[in-house]
mmCIF file of all heavy atoms in Angstrom:
data_model
loop_
_atom_site.group_PDB
_atom_site.id
_atom_site.type_symbol
_atom_site.label_atom_id
_atom_site.label_comp_id
_atom_site.label_asym_id
_atom_site.label_seq_id
_atom_site.Cartn_x
_atom_site.Cartn_y
_atom_site.Cartn_z
ATOM 1 N N GLY A 81 74.441 253.132 72.815
ATOM 2 C CA GLY A 81 75.301 251.857 72.531
ATOM 3 C C GLY A 81 74.865 250.763 73.539
ATOM 4 O O GLY A 81 75.248 249.647 73.184
ATOM 5 N N LEU A 82 74.232 251.103 74.660
ATOM 6 C CA LEU A 82 73.884 250.141 75.564
ATOM 7 C C LEU A 82 72.346 249.781 75.450
ATOM 8 O O LEU A 82 71.752 249.024 76.339
ATOM 9 C CB LEU A 82 74.154 250.672 76.985
ATOM 10 C CG LEU A 82 75.601 250.928 77.299
ATOM 11 C CD1 LEU A 82 75.654 251.647 78.625
ATOM 12 C CD2 LEU A 82 76.385 249.650 77.284
ATOM 13 N N GLY A 83 71.701 250.161 74.406
ATOM 14 C CA GLY A 83 70.420 249.659 74.065
ATOM 15 C C GLY A 83 69.321 250.632 74.226
ATOM 16 O O GLY A 83 68.150 250.316 74.160
ATOM 17 N N ILE A 84 69.602 251.870 74.770
ATOM 18 C CA ILE A 84 68.645 252.917 74.845
ATOM 19 C C ILE A 84 68.079 253.277 73.497
ATOM 20 O O ILE A 84 68.930 253.789 72.712
ATOM 21 C CB ILE A 84 69.153 254.121 75.731
ATOM 22 C CG1 ILE A 84 69.531 253.811 77.196
ATOM 23 C CG2 ILE A 84 68.019 255.148 75.699
ATOM 24 C CD1 ILE A 84 68.386 253.339 78.020
ATOM 25 N N ARG A 85 66.774 253.159 73.309
ATOM 26 C CA ARG A 85 66.104 253.395 71.975
ATOM 27 C C ARG A 85 65.395 254.721 71.918
ATOM 28 O O ARG A 85 65.385 255.304 70.896
ATOM 29 C CB ARG A 85 65.086 252.263 71.631
ATOM 30 C CG ARG A 85 65.794 250.930 71.639
ATOM 31 C CD ARG A 85 64.707 249.904 71.308
ATOM 32 N NE ARG A 85 65.276 248.486 71.421
ATOM 33 C CZ ARG A 85 64.443 247.522 71.365
ATOM 34 N NH1 ARG A 85 63.155 247.634 71.432
ATOM 35 N NH2 ARG A 85 65.007 246.229 71.438
ATOM 36 N N THR A 86 64.930 255.130 73.065
ATOM 37 C CA THR A 86 64.216 256.424 73.064
ATOM 38 C C THR A 86 64.603 257.454 73.994
ATOM 39 O O THR A 86 64.983 257.033 75.219
ATOM 40 C CB THR A 86 62.649 256.208 73.453
ATOM 41 O OG1 THR A 86 62.103 255.248 72.531
ATOM 42 C CG2 THR A 86 61.885 257.386 73.455
ATOM 43 N N PHE A 87 64.882 258.634 73.584
ATOM 44 C CA PHE A 87 65.185 259.689 74.418
ATOM 45 C C PHE A 87 64.120 260.642 74.512
ATOM 46 O O PHE A 87 63.769 261.290 73.514
ATOM 47 C CB PHE A 87 66.661 260.322 73.899
ATOM 48 C CG PHE A 87 67.802 259.529 74.007
ATOM 49 C CD1 PHE A 87 68.139 258.610 72.920
ATOM 50 C CD2 PHE A 87 68.722 259.384 74.987
ATOM 51 C CE1 PHE A 87 69.182 257.766 72.914
ATOM 52 C CE2 PHE A 87 69.744 258.610 74.990
ATOM 53 C CZ PHE A 87 70.050 257.800 73.969
ATOM 54 N N ARG A 88 63.645 260.858 75.683
ATOM 55 C CA ARG A 88 62.561 261.789 75.882
ATOM 56 C C ARG A 88 63.048 263.033 76.528
ATOM 57 O O ARG A 88 63.544 262.997 77.655
ATOM 58 C CB ARG A 88 61.379 261.181 76.596
ATOM 59 C CG ARG A 88 60.229 262.199 76.968
ATOM 60 C CD ARG A 88 59.001 261.492 77.572
ATOM 61 N NE ARG A 88 58.432 260.638 76.552
ATOM 62 C CZ ARG A 88 57.544 260.974 75.560
ATOM 63 N NH1 ARG A 88 57.312 262.315 75.402
ATOM 64 N NH2 ARG A 88 57.000 260.171 74.763
ATOM 65 N N LEU A 89 62.896 264.225 75.904
ATOM 66 C CA LEU A 89 63.366 265.491 76.445
ATOM 67 C C LEU A 89 62.237 266.044 77.272
ATOM 68 O O LEU A 89 61.061 266.251 76.867
ATOM 69 C CB LEU A 89 63.738 266.353 75.214
ATOM 70 C CG LEU A 89 64.761 265.785 74.393
ATOM 71 C CD1 LEU A 89 65.083 266.672 73.229
ATOM 72 C CD2 LEU A 89 66.018 265.371 74.924
ATOM 73 N N THR A 90 62.582 266.444 78.475
ATOM 74 C CA THR A 90 61.652 267.004 79.465
ATOM 75 C C THR A 90 62.256 268.173 80.146
ATOM 76 O O THR A 90 63.264 268.690 79.860
ATOM 77 C CB THR A 90 61.301 265.795 80.504
ATOM 78 O OG1 THR A 90 62.383 265.675 81.313
ATOM 79 C CG2 THR A 90 60.902 264.567 79.863
ATOM 80 N N GLY A 91 61.461 268.677 81.114
ATOM 81 C CA GLY A 91 61.909 269.756 82.012
ATOM 82 C C GLY A 91 61.355 269.602 83.412
ATOM 83 O O GLY A 91 61.245 268.355 83.840
ATOM 84 N N GLY A 92 61.044 270.683 84.057
ATOM 85 C CA GLY A 92 60.654 271.938 83.552
ATOM 86 C C GLY A 92 60.065 271.898 82.174
ATOM 87 O O GLY A 92 59.369 270.940 81.840
ATOM 88 N N GLU A 93 60.140 272.960 81.525
ATOM 89 C CA GLU A 93 59.819 273.129 80.095
ATOM 90 C C GLU A 93 60.875 273.099 79.181
ATOM 91 O O GLU A 93 61.621 274.020 79.055
ATOM 92 C CB GLU A 93 58.914 274.303 79.965
ATOM 93 C CG GLU A 93 58.435 274.699 78.487
ATOM 94 C CD GLU A 93 57.838 273.441 77.878
ATOM 95 O OE1 GLU A 93 56.965 272.906 78.431
ATOM 96 O OE2 GLU A 93 58.166 273.226 76.762
ATOM 97 N N PRO A 94 61.025 271.965 78.355
ATOM 98 C CA PRO A 94 62.109 271.866 77.459
ATOM 99 C C PRO A 94 62.241 272.881 76.438
ATOM 100 O O PRO A 94 63.295 273.303 75.907
ATOM 101 C CB PRO A 94 62.023 270.469 76.882
ATOM 102 C CG PRO A 94 60.569 270.184 77.049
ATOM 103 C CD PRO A 94 60.104 270.816 78.359
ATOM 104 N N LEU A 95 61.157 273.526 76.052
ATOM 105 C CA LEU A 95 61.201 274.556 74.905
ATOM 106 C C LEU A 95 61.839 275.798 75.476
ATOM 107 O O LEU A 95 62.078 276.744 74.632
ATOM 108 C CB LEU A 95 59.694 274.749 74.384
ATOM 109 C CG LEU A 95 59.091 273.645 73.633
ATOM 110 C CD1 LEU A 95 57.786 274.104 73.138
ATOM 111 C CD2 LEU A 95 60.012 273.196 72.566
ATOM 112 N N LEU A 96 62.005 276.004 76.703
ATOM 113 C CA LEU A 96 62.826 277.155 77.224
ATOM 114 C C LEU A 96 64.233 277.012 76.968
ATOM 115 O O LEU A 96 65.012 278.105 77.084
ATOM 116 C CB LEU A 96 62.486 277.223 78.708
ATOM 117 C CG LEU A 96 61.120 277.689 79.179
ATOM 118 C CD1 LEU A 96 60.964 277.852 80.764
ATOM 119 C CD2 LEU A 96 60.677 278.954 78.482
ATOM 120 N N ARG A 97 64.740 275.948 76.678
ATOM 121 C CA ARG A 97 66.138 275.808 76.283
ATOM 122 C C ARG A 97 66.373 276.357 74.911
ATOM 123 O O ARG A 97 65.763 276.098 73.957
ATOM 124 C CB ARG A 97 66.492 274.292 76.191
ATOM 125 C CG ARG A 97 67.931 273.852 75.781
ATOM 126 C CD ARG A 97 68.709 273.510 77.025
ATOM 127 N NE ARG A 97 70.014 273.163 76.716
ATOM 128 C CZ ARG A 97 70.859 272.449 77.374
ATOM 129 N NH1 ARG A 97 70.454 272.009 78.581
ATOM 130 N NH2 ARG A 97 72.100 272.009 77.067
ATOM 131 N N ARG A 98 67.359 277.374 74.834
ATOM 132 C CA ARG A 98 67.584 278.094 73.649
ATOM 133 C C ARG A 98 67.982 277.203 72.473
ATOM 134 O O ARG A 98 67.695 277.562 71.293
ATOM 135 C CB ARG A 98 68.482 279.204 73.994
ATOM 136 C CG ARG A 98 67.863 280.286 74.867
ATOM 137 C CD ARG A 98 68.912 281.408 75.089
ATOM 138 N NE ARG A 98 68.354 282.431 75.982
ATOM 139 C CZ ARG A 98 69.009 283.509 76.328
ATOM 140 N NH1 ARG A 98 70.228 283.773 75.871
ATOM 141 N NH2 ARG A 98 68.450 284.441 77.232
ATOM 142 N N ASP A 99 68.777 276.233 72.846
ATOM 143 C CA ASP A 99 69.356 275.407 71.785
ATOM 144 C C ASP A 99 68.540 274.053 71.655
ATOM 145 O O ASP A 99 69.136 273.128 71.135
ATOM 146 C CB ASP A 99 70.877 275.055 71.961
ATOM 147 C CG ASP A 99 71.040 274.300 73.291
ATOM 148 O OD1 ASP A 99 70.059 274.233 74.208
ATOM 149 O OD2 ASP A 99 72.167 273.862 73.548
ATOM 150 N N ILE A 100 67.271 274.073 71.897
ATOM 151 C CA ILE A 100 66.443 272.863 71.818
ATOM 152 C C ILE A 100 66.541 272.271 70.428
ATOM 153 O O ILE A 100 66.623 270.964 70.430
ATOM 154 C CB ILE A 100 64.940 273.259 72.318
ATOM 155 C CG1 ILE A 100 64.173 271.977 72.208
ATOM 156 C CG2 ILE A 100 64.338 274.216 71.455
ATOM 157 C CD1 ILE A 100 64.627 270.837 73.225
ATOM 158 N N VAL A 101 66.512 272.924 69.415
ATOM 159 C CA VAL A 101 66.537 272.350 68.026
ATOM 160 C C VAL A 101 67.711 271.653 67.889
ATOM 161 O O VAL A 101 67.818 270.524 67.244
ATOM 162 C CB VAL A 101 66.181 273.425 66.964
ATOM 163 C CG1 VAL A 101 66.421 272.818 65.610
ATOM 164 C CG2 VAL A 101 64.806 273.976 67.195
ATOM 165 N N ASP A 102 68.868 272.213 68.301
ATOM 166 C CA ASP A 102 70.265 271.549 68.125
ATOM 167 C C ASP A 102 70.246 270.333 69.000
ATOM 168 O O ASP A 102 70.821 269.310 68.479
ATOM 169 C CB ASP A 102 71.294 272.647 68.504
ATOM 170 C CG ASP A 102 72.702 272.100 68.203
ATOM 171 O OD1 ASP A 102 72.853 271.519 67.034
ATOM 172 O OD2 ASP A 102 73.514 272.256 69.040
ATOM 173 N N VAL A 103 69.740 270.317 70.234
ATOM 174 C CA VAL A 103 69.694 269.170 71.044
ATOM 175 C C VAL A 103 69.005 268.032 70.190
ATOM 176 O O VAL A 103 69.487 266.905 70.240
ATOM 177 C CB VAL A 103 69.068 269.371 72.325
ATOM 178 C CG1 VAL A 103 68.898 268.083 73.194
ATOM 179 C CG2 VAL A 103 69.870 270.381 73.184
ATOM 180 N N VAL A 104 67.856 268.321 69.762
ATOM 181 C CA VAL A 104 67.111 267.284 69.020
ATOM 182 C C VAL A 104 67.824 266.763 67.910
ATOM 183 O O VAL A 104 67.895 265.601 67.574
ATOM 184 C CB VAL A 104 65.768 267.824 68.596
ATOM 185 C CG1 VAL A 104 64.970 266.877 67.677
ATOM 186 C CG2 VAL A 104 64.827 268.160 69.704
ATOM 187 N N ARG A 105 68.380 267.710 67.115
ATOM 188 C CA ARG A 105 69.089 267.326 65.857
ATOM 189 C C ARG A 105 70.214 266.501 66.099
ATOM 190 O O ARG A 105 70.479 265.428 65.479
ATOM 191 C CB ARG A 105 69.488 268.590 65.051
ATOM 192 C CG ARG A 105 70.332 268.250 63.819
ATOM 193 C CD ARG A 105 70.683 269.516 63.071
ATOM 194 N NE ARG A 105 69.599 270.165 62.488
ATOM 195 C CZ ARG A 105 69.050 271.289 62.966
ATOM 196 N NH1 ARG A 105 69.657 271.904 63.843
ATOM 197 N NH2 ARG A 105 68.003 271.819 62.355
ATOM 198 N N ARG A 106 71.058 266.777 67.077
ATOM 199 C CA ARG A 106 72.155 265.876 67.411
ATOM 200 C C ARG A 106 71.995 264.583 67.966
ATOM 201 O O ARG A 106 72.522 263.595 67.700
ATOM 202 C CB ARG A 106 73.190 266.749 68.207
ATOM 203 C CG ARG A 106 73.821 267.949 67.686
ATOM 204 C CD ARG A 106 74.770 268.803 68.597
ATOM 205 N NE ARG A 106 75.870 267.873 68.861
ATOM 206 C CZ ARG A 106 76.745 268.452 69.790
ATOM 207 N NH1 ARG A 106 76.732 269.596 70.256
ATOM 208 N NH2 ARG A 106 77.866 267.662 70.030
ATOM 209 N N ILE A 107 70.920 264.535 68.861
ATOM 210 C CA ILE A 107 70.497 263.186 69.388
ATOM 211 C C ILE A 107 69.999 262.300 68.391
ATOM 212 O O ILE A 107 70.181 261.095 68.262
ATOM 213 C CB ILE A 107 69.608 263.348 70.699
ATOM 214 C CG1 ILE A 107 70.272 264.102 71.838
ATOM 215 C CG2 ILE A 107 69.083 261.982 71.182
ATOM 216 C CD1 ILE A 107 69.445 264.318 72.965
ATOM 217 N N SER A 108 69.043 262.893 67.488
ATOM 218 C CA SER A 108 68.392 262.122 66.608
ATOM 219 C C SER A 108 69.136 261.424 65.398
ATOM 220 O O SER A 108 68.815 260.510 64.782
ATOM 221 C CB SER A 108 67.303 263.055 65.719
ATOM 222 O OG SER A 108 68.025 263.874 64.934
ATOM 223 N N ARG A 109 70.477 261.859 65.507
ATOM 224 C CA ARG A 109 71.461 261.284 64.459
ATOM 225 C C ARG A 109 72.305 260.104 65.160
ATOM 226 O O ARG A 109 72.931 259.400 64.374
ATOM 227 C CB ARG A 109 72.471 262.380 63.990
ATOM 228 C CG ARG A 109 71.874 263.608 63.174
ATOM 229 C CD ARG A 109 72.946 264.596 62.945
ATOM 230 N NE ARG A 109 72.399 265.722 62.113
ATOM 231 C CZ ARG A 109 72.896 266.779 61.869
ATOM 232 N NH1 ARG A 109 74.150 267.076 62.455
ATOM 233 N NH2 ARG A 109 72.473 267.693 61.065
ATOM 234 N N ILE A 110 72.041 259.813 66.355
ATOM 235 C CA ILE A 110 72.765 258.744 67.036
ATOM 236 C C ILE A 110 72.227 257.361 66.624
ATOM 237 O O ILE A 110 70.950 257.247 66.584
ATOM 238 C CB ILE A 110 72.702 258.895 68.559
ATOM 239 C CG1 ILE A 110 73.253 260.288 69.033
ATOM 240 C CG2 ILE A 110 73.242 257.742 69.322
ATOM 241 C CD1 ILE A 110 73.085 260.546 70.483
ATOM 242 N N GLU A 111 73.108 256.448 66.310
ATOM 243 C CA GLU A 111 72.814 255.046 65.987
ATOM 244 C C GLU A 111 73.080 254.091 67.114
ATOM 245 O O GLU A 111 74.184 254.264 67.748
ATOM 246 C CB GLU A 111 73.471 254.593 64.753
ATOM 247 C CG GLU A 111 73.185 255.473 63.446
ATOM 248 C CD GLU A 111 72.016 254.910 62.688
ATOM 249 O OE1 GLU A 111 71.489 253.623 63.066
ATOM 250 O OE2 GLU A 111 71.668 255.425 61.769
ATOM 251 N N GLY A 112 72.075 253.291 67.385
ATOM 252 C CA GLY A 112 72.288 252.312 68.448
ATOM 253 C C GLY A 112 72.299 250.933 67.884
ATOM 254 O O GLY A 112 72.296 250.754 66.662
ATOM 255 N N PRO A 113 72.452 249.841 68.671
ATOM 256 C CA PRO A 113 72.425 248.534 68.108
ATOM 257 C C PRO A 113 71.210 248.144 67.266
ATOM 258 O O PRO A 113 71.232 247.291 66.306
ATOM 259 C CB PRO A 113 72.492 247.673 69.266
ATOM 260 C CG PRO A 113 72.957 248.454 70.478
ATOM 261 C CD PRO A 113 72.516 249.826 70.077
ATOM 262 N N ASP A 114 70.151 248.863 67.551
ATOM 263 C CA ASP A 114 68.708 248.544 66.765
ATOM 264 C C ASP A 114 68.453 249.743 65.702
ATOM 265 O O ASP A 114 67.363 249.728 65.370
ATOM 266 C CB ASP A 114 67.671 248.506 67.810
ATOM 267 C CG ASP A 114 67.999 247.509 68.896
ATOM 268 O OD1 ASP A 114 68.135 246.319 68.544
ATOM 269 O OD2 ASP A 114 67.884 247.801 70.147
#
Side-chain angles (χ1 to χ4, degrees):
L82 298 172
I84 295 293
R85 300 175 184 172
T86 300
F87 294 88
R88 177 170 294 279
L89 306 179
T90 70
E93 172 47 49
L95 293 181
L96 290 179
R97 179 102 176 198
R98 293 181 180 179
D99 61 349
I100 181 63
V101 174
D102 189 44
V103 173
V104 171
R105 179 176 292 110
R106 292 181 63 184
I107 295 178
S108 70
R109 293 173 178 172
I110 297 173
E111 296 273 351
D114 304 307

